[in-house]
Amino acid sequence: MDNNELNKNFEECISCNDKDTCEEVCIHTDAVVRAKNNTPDLDILFSLAELFKMFGDTTRIRIMCALFENELCVCDIAEVLGMGQSAVSHQLRLLRTANLVKVRRDGKSSFYSLDDEHIQKIYELGLDHILEKRKGT
């Protein structure tokens, strides 16, 4: 069964009526098997959900955004965000624990940078999605 056939069958099965359920139960076996085969194990999905939780806080996103161009010390990040060092330090600790930022000590200063290029890509994809949706409305 090709995708067009599956979509046609799926559309026939679902009737909206302000509900997110089908009016009658009908299982599209091929589609279900493909979905199950393409879904990672629960422990991987749990880790992914934890990653996205880190992106669920505006302060943490602002910190990550500040680190796109170069590493910054806690004082610099606090200045960029207009926040106290203590509040920034708390968020940095969460980001470091989630492996989103890394720290480099230099004397009495701690310099933070993004852990790798994936963090900025996740941010950019999310931002693209938001901006695209806003243009469409």
Side-chain angles (χ1 to χ4, degrees), residues 21-93:
T21 61
C22 297
E23 286 189 4
E24 64 181 67
V25 176
C26 53
I27 305 298
H28 303 94
T29 307
D30 291 345
V32 169
V33 168
R34 272 188 293 207
K36 284 183 176 183
N37 288 339
N38 289 319
T39 302
D41 292 335
L42 281 177
D43 60 324
I44 299 294
L45 293 175
F46 177 80
S47 297
L48 182 61
E50 291 299 311
L51 169 72
F52 283 120
K53 283 181 187 177
M54 289 295 109
F55 282 84
D57 179 87
T58 306
T59 300
R60 290 191 292 265
I61 289 190
R62 290 175 68 207
I63 290 170
M64 288 183 274
C65 190
L67 297 173
F68 287 166
E69 296 304 318
N70 51 278
E71 68 179 10
L72 298 168
C73 75
V74 177
C75 302
D76 296 335
I77 297 169
E79 182 67 23
V80 169
L81 272 57
M83 296 177 64
Q85 287 186 38
S86 177
V88 169
S89 180
H90 171 71
Q91 296 300 332
L92 285 166
R93 190 171 20 265

